Amino acid sequence: MTARVFKPSDTVDFIVVGSGASGGTVARELSRAGFSVVVFEQGPRLTSADFEHDELKYHYLNGITNSPAINPQTFRDDPSKTAERPAFGNSAVYARLVGGSSNHFTGNYWRLHEIDFHERSVLGGIAGTGFADWPISYQDLEPYYTKVEWEVGVSGLANASPFDPPRTRPYPMPPLAVKSSGVLFERGARKLGYHPFPAPLGINSRPYRGRGACVHCGFCMGYGCEAQAKSPSLYSMIPEAEATGRCEIRAQSYVFRVEINERGRTTGVAYFDRDKREKFQKARAVVLSANGAETPRLLLNSTSSRFPQGLANSSGLVGKYLMFNQGCPVHAVFEHELNEYKSVQVSRVLHDFYNSDPTRGFYGGGGIDARVGVEPVGWALASGGDLPLWGEPLKARLEGFTHSMTADGHCTSLAVESNSVSIDPTLKDPWGVPAIRVTYKDHADDLATSRFLQDRAFEIMQAAGAQKIWRGEVSPNRGGVHLLGTCRMGNDPVSSVIDKNHRTHDVPNLFLCDGSSFVTSGRGQPTMTIQALSFRAGDVISRLAKRNEI
């Protein structure tokens, strides 16, 4: 079927800004429900043949991520300071192409657990934070978690962990084959009485829904999948949206403003086309799924007499409560070759420390997985701790790459109001649009959780028989790829930006659905939940539209 193309003068039913795990999913659901949809994407549309196995380009030269030259940002760790441009890269990192960051993610597809949605009620408040319950429960989202697994494609083994939340169906595909790192991680963990299990992955372990199985090339984290075995919206959701004949993917089209009329309702979006010409697309409703940094930026840049502090920002909370998720790697070298550079990043994970435990003296929990970790260039450039930097010891470490693995902790991050995405007062991008300013300082409990999980990972590697182990640095975050919480969901318009149906409290026909919707951070793997929220949002928004309630 020929892809649908709308004219800017056409009034489409919905505009979706962003084409990643959220935007691609929402677009598919709305177009399948019978609505006309235009999806706007800043970046280009690539095919599987366009992706490359180039570590230098993809990890150090912004091969498919937001480049500081095109999407400049500033950073500060305190609101009283003047933000400066980072020395390397950007603070808020995301893939800039059709399919968004679902193209370059690792593929970890954990569900949140029941506790994540009502943790504030169980644990009580935490000083200096906006710690809160979600306005929805795990049970509300469970059918949509299942929908992600079966319609997007997830490989795993249901109920393999005693800590798994309830589920209504098994995974549609068996887990991918265990790797050397998984065998060693499982050996060490079981010696210590823990419960490792096969990692659920958004990667095909066998052919599924017209896409092939993983070819074990080793280029998952940070790369697009040339085999189409990984499950980004580029391969899974967007083709199905286009197949309806009601959805257009408008690549290299940069939305910089959401317009409203005198009634306070959105009428469409202003954007730059691929030739940097300013245009306007009319629509009956708008869904922002641009990610947890670009969605608040767009709202804050869409000022008017009605919304002088930014669109849908009567609460003053647009951009606030940014959460990056802390991490805490442990690197280990073993006697025999592991050759971890082959196949998927992760094959085993454990959730024994998922829940927060007040007896630890701090809030937080998470998971630990066994993975490749850094690739050859990253391994060669790694420094710190007792790592050798010169001579024969350095040579021995470099040659140890094929004997190495990583045990990585994935942690909670508390919602702190001063951690935010705002608009830099002076910096602008090449289109003249005011740039993102990131303000971020980890809560002390986040760093304590990281050190706790890192100690557990260290013990697991010891029990597995590692010859050499060293800790990655646990330090304050200066950025990340998990962009969460900046337009949080809630029942009260005073303390949230959107309601439980993803509708903004201030503008009836403006919806937000991406990582910005999160109320708490989860335990370090948000994509599965972002996509489940998106299936639910598509379902709810479709029903509202069919009842003429938008």
Side-chain angles (χ1 to χ4, degrees), residues 357-495:
D357 183 349
T359 65
R360 297 174 194 154
F362 51 85
Y363 164 79
I368 305 172
D369 63 29
R371 58 172 54 208
V372 181
V374 294
E375 293 169 314
V377 173
W379 179 267
L381 294 175
S383 61
D386 59 353
L387 295 183
L389 300 177
W390 193 255
E392 285 299 320
L394 173 62
K395 180 175 181 289
R397 182 172 71 80
L398 296 181
E399 291 174 346
F401 172 72
T402 56
H403 294 247
S404 71
M405 63 167 287
T406 298
D408 212 351
H410 306 275
C411 317
T412 44
S413 287
L414 280 161
V416 177
E417 186 172 348
S418 58
N419 289 342
S420 65
V421 169
S422 56
I423 301 302
D424 191 273
T426 59
L427 182 64
K428 295 184 178 181
D429 67 19
W431 290 264
V433 180
I436 286 171
R437 176 178 62 186
V438 174
T439 305
Y440 202 88
K441 183 178 182 179
D442 294 277
H443 192 279
D445 285 15
D446 299 336
L447 297 173
T449 301
S450 295
R451 296 185 187 99
F452 171 80
L453 286 181
Q454 189 175 66
D455 288 345
R456 306 292 79 72
F458 193 100
E459 291 163 359
I460 291 169
M461 291 295 91
Q462 283 181 315
Q467 292 184 321
K468 176 72 175 176
I469 311 170
W470 66 92
R471 291 172 168 85
E473 186 179 5
V474 173
S475 59
N477 262 315
R478 294 187 64 85
V481 295
H482 296 170
L483 310 174
L484 309 175
T486 50
C487 296
R488 57 165 37 185
M489 178 188 289
N491 294 322
D492 186 353
V494 174
S495 58

Side-chain angles (χ1 to χ4, degrees), residues 156-354:
L157 182 61
N159 303 314
S161 167
F163 309 104
D164 268 356
R167 58 170 48 248
T168 51
R169 293 184 75 180
Y171 291 103
M173 290 177 280
L176 279 103
V178 66
K179 299 178 62 177
S180 299
S181 59
V183 171
L184 292 166
F185 182 82
E186 185 158 1
R187 178 187 300 169
R190 292 203 182 280
K191 280 185 180 179
L192 297 173
Y194 303 145
H195 304 84
F197 62 97
L201 298 173
I203 301 172
N204 293 351
S205 61
R206 63 188 183 196
Y208 191 73
R209 291 177 70 91
R211 295 182 291 111
C214 178
V215 297
H216 307 287
C217 70
F219 290 83
C220 294
M221 187 173 70
Y223 301 89
C225 184
E226 297 169 54
Q228 298 193 20
K230 204 157 60 167
S231 302
S233 62
L234 175 66
Y235 301 144
S236 58
M237 295 287 101
I238 287 171
E240 295 183 6
E242 291 179 307
T244 66
R246 291 183 287 272
C247 181
E248 176 191 351
I249 308 299
R250 199 170 292 176
Q252 294 180 295
S253 297
Y254 172 20
V255 175
F256 65 90
R257 184 178 177 86
V258 180
E259 299 287 0
I260 60 168
N261 60 19
E262 66 282 355
R263 297 169 52 228
R265 301 173 73 88
T266 179
T267 56
V269 300
Y271 70 100
F272 294 106
D273 68 11
R274 65 184 63 219
D275 298 315
K276 290 193 173 182
R277 295 174 299 191
E278 186 174 332
K279 294 186 175 181
F280 180 76
Q281 177 65 57
K282 298 165 66 177
R284 295 181 179 87
V286 173
V287 183
L288 302 186
S289 298
N291 72 50
E294 288 287 355
T295 287
R297 178 198 184 200
L298 183 52
L299 293 173
L300 292 170
N301 277 328
S302 299
T303 56
S304 64
S305 58
R306 192 183 190 100
F307 294 104
Q309 303 304 313
L311 186 59
N313 195 25
S314 65
S315 65
L317 295 179
V318 168
K320 304 291 181 67
Y321 298 119
L322 173 65
M323 297 172 284
F324 278 135
N325 287 133
Q326 258 289 350
C328 47
V330 166
H331 306 285
V333 176
F334 288 82
E335 177 184 2
H336 301 290
E337 283 193 342
L338 309 183
N339 296 324
E340 282 297 299
Y341 58 87
K342 300 178 181 179
S343 194
V344 296
Q345 271 277 329
V346 179
S347 61
R348 287 296 182 272
V349 61
L350 64 80
H351 282 168
D352 293 67
F353 309 104
Y354 190 95

Side-chain angles (χ1 to χ4, degrees), residues 70-89:
I70 297 174
N71 303 99
Q73 299 175 9
T74 58
F75 177 86
R76 59 187 180 177
D77 61 8
D78 189 290
S80 66
K81 295 180 179 179
T82 299
E84 299 179 352
R85 297 188 67 170
F88 176 78

